[in-house]
Amino acid sequence: MIRIDRLDHLVLTVADIDRSCAFYRDILGFEVVTFGEGQGAEIRAPEIQPASARA
């Protein structure tokens, strides 16, 4: 089984970037950094420790 320690980044292509950014910001608590006049955004997840590190 593969164990994931952290996720560095991933790329999503979405139909509505503003709505998608609002979801990640408002629901999941991510930081949104937009660039390129609505062409893209970097979504930064809050720091989360894996369950195994919290024990």
Side-chain angles (χ1 to χ4, degrees), residues 32-48:
V32 176
V33 180
T34 57
F35 55 88
E37 292 291 321
Q39 296 176 3
E42 180 178 327
I43 310 293
R44 297 178 186 161
E47 283 290 321
I48 301 171

Side-chain angles (χ1 to χ4, degrees), residues 1-30:
M1 177 190 246
I2 297 172
R3 183 186 140 156
I4 299 172
D5 290 328
R6 70 184 137 239
L7 176 65
D8 179 60
H9 75 279
L10 66 106
V11 176
L12 301 174
T13 301
V14 298
D16 187 333
I17 192 167
D18 292 329
R19 187 171 178 212
S20 297
C21 287
F23 169 79
Y24 283 97
R25 181 190 63 236
D26 300 342
I27 305 300
L28 299 179
F30 287 24

